[in-house]
Amino acid sequence: MPVFGKLALAAAVLLTAACGAPQAAPAPPGAAAGWSPAPVVPLPSQPPPSLLVDAPLPEQLAMGLVVLRYRAENLRIVPVYGPAALDVSPRIGHIHVTVDDAAWHWADGSGEPLIIQSLPAGPHKVWIGLADPTHKILDEKTVNFVVPVHSGHN
């Protein structure tokens, strides 16, 4: 039997087995309970977005480098802005970041960890706001930490 025929036969056997007795689909490896649908199709209803932020990594903090990992739930972080983007489903947005109550902030749509360097030794705080495409804050977290006295420059 040609290779293509064997593959077609294997696919038919798998499809027949899958259509047999109803079974719950196994969760992907490492998936948590209540795993949500893949964010690639419009969703009729969406739970509110939320922001999760980890504490700074201690090894880097000891060197004067602040690395903050964050994650949005029920919202995809992308660099898309403006009122027309409010109609996108699944929901999209970005973050706003303020360090030490500065009068200004920056917006980031990368979804990558925040890396802040050259803060002086001492206590600091970073405010992170989860924003919709029109910059309306949907959730927020503040991370407080202390940059220890260190030697060297990063």
Side-chain angles (χ1 to χ4, degrees), residues 45-68:
S45 65
Q46 301 177 62
S50 61
L51 179 65
L52 302 162
V53 181
D54 287 345
L57 298 171
E59 298 82 20
Q60 282 74 27
L61 194 58
M63 297 183 298
L65 185 65
V66 181
V67 179
L68 296 172

Side-chain angles (χ1 to χ4, degrees), residues 64-91:
L65 185 65
V66 181
V67 179
L68 296 172
R69 190 173 66 163
Y70 67 91
R71 174 173 65 111
E73 291 188 337
N74 306 313
L75 181 141
R76 293 182 68 188
I77 302 287
V78 293
V80 178
Y81 308 94
L86 290 173
D87 294 332
V88 173
S89 176
R91 186 184 299 119

